[in-house]
Amino acid sequence: MMREIIWAPWRSGFIKGKPEPGCVFCRLQRETDKRKILVIETGKHNFIVMNKFPYTSGHLLVIPKRHLGTLEKLTTPEANEHFKLVRLAASALKRALKTDGINTGMNLGRTAGAGVLHHIHTHLVPRWQGDSNFMPVIGETRMMSLDLEPMYDALCAEFLRLKKKK
Ligand SMILES: [Zn+2]
């Protein structure tokens, strides 16, 4: 039973958040205090944010700036940068949080479990050996309001390092 729940990392925590008018991902972009909303990186076309309702700690989302409901609507430059940021995010998770593995993917459409339906996004869910033994996922209200800020700082530092390296 537990295992089944664990293997559905795509249920966005946002559905658990308070219902708010408008699109949550568009609203994030209007916030100027990036730290407050845990935005780690902003590119030309996409940005990376920590999920405040994470499936595991360090759950990241890569989000196109434009409000697009389908993958096909992404332009090539948007798509290229999107995947570039997914790669960067994966590297940062590996180094900053010492992950053993990462689940990454998109839920396109309600049937696929999209939490934010009309604004596509890619999840990166870090995994550690044995994490399924410890995750109290019953009722989906789990875990991890746990120290998002230290993790945020570690990830931001790692992003800086990765970008300098180039
Ligand atoms: Zn939107």
Side-chain angles (χ1 to χ4, degrees):
M1 183 58 192
M2 197 60 146
R3 197 166 293 274
E4 276 168 39
I5 298 169
I6 297 294
W7 195 246
W10 322 118
R11 288 186 206 185
S12 165
F14 285 103
I15 47 176
K16 289 273 144 204
K18 277 193 197 135
E20 292 180 76
C23 170
V24 63
F25 293 155
C26 291
R27 207 169 47 244
L28 281 179
Q29 297 176 66
R30 293 194 290 269
E31 174 62 56
T32 48
D33 184 351
K34 299 296 179 207
R35 185 180 179 81
K36 187 173 134 198
I37 52 170
L38 302 173
V39 166
I40 289 174
E41 173 72 4
T42 306
K44 193 170 173 198
H45 307 291
N46 300 266
F47 63 103
I48 305 176
V49 67
M50 287 182 79
N51 192 339
K52 284 199 175 180
F53 306 91
Y55 199 84
T56 67
S57 22
H59 180 169
L60 301 183
L61 302 170
V62 179
I63 309 170
K65 290 181 178 175
R66 288 203 298 141
H67 184 84
L68 302 173
T70 64
L71 200 49
E72 299 89 311
K73 286 184 184 152
L74 274 182
T75 64
T76 301
E78 284 172 328
N80 287 345
E81 192 199 69
H82 192 91
F83 198 67
K84 189 178 124 195
L85 291 185
V86 170
R87 287 171 58 195
L88 267 177
S91 299
L93 285 173
K94 258 193 213 163
R95 281 189 60 109
L97 303 187
K98 311 276 184 279
T99 56
D100 297 320
I102 298 169
N103 291 114
T104 183
M106 281 185 165
N107 306 325
L108 299 168
R110 191 184 296 283
T111 313
V116 176
L117 198 53
H118 300 294
H119 196 141
I120 57 171
H121 51 284
T122 299
H123 295 261
L124 289 103
V125 179
R127 305 299 301 267
W128 292 267
Q129 285 246 312
D131 59 7
S132 58
N133 296 330
F134 299 104
M135 287 169 70
V137 284
I138 306 305
E140 276 189 67
T141 21
R142 340 133 286 242
M143 51 193 306
M144 319 276 172
S145 45
L146 191 146
D147 293 343
L148 286 176
E149 288 216 352
M151 210 171 275
Y152 175 78
D153 290 336
L155 286 166
C156 285
E158 187 53 33
F159 262 91
L160 272 183
R161 201 192 63 82
L162 283 167
K163 284 197 296 186
K164 270 192 205 141
K165 226 171 66 173
K166 278 188 230 156

